[in-house]
Amino acid sequence: MSKGTSTGGGADDDGTYCAPAGPEAPAAPPGPAGGPPYAECVLCREPTEYPESTRGATLCPVCAWQEAGRSACSG
């Protein structure tokens, strides 16, 4: 390489290509919306999308998906 050869990015590359466009950093995603108290998952204790009054074993979406995969493959 010769002197003065750039390694890419061009003459106006100031290292801010991936920086946020606005004056402040992006806000954190909002938490669950207000509503009924949600039941805990019986496997991982994360909140589910079901209210606490739901009877039976409640699973969060992740555990429900994993459980469906386990039961589908056990023939």
Side-chain angles (χ1 to χ4, degrees), residues 21-53:
E24 52 195 55
Y38 295 103
E40 288 184 340
C41 175
V42 296
L43 298 177
C44 68
R45 301 185 56 96
E46 290 292 320
T48 65
E49 51 196 31
Y50 304 107
E52 282 184 347
S53 61

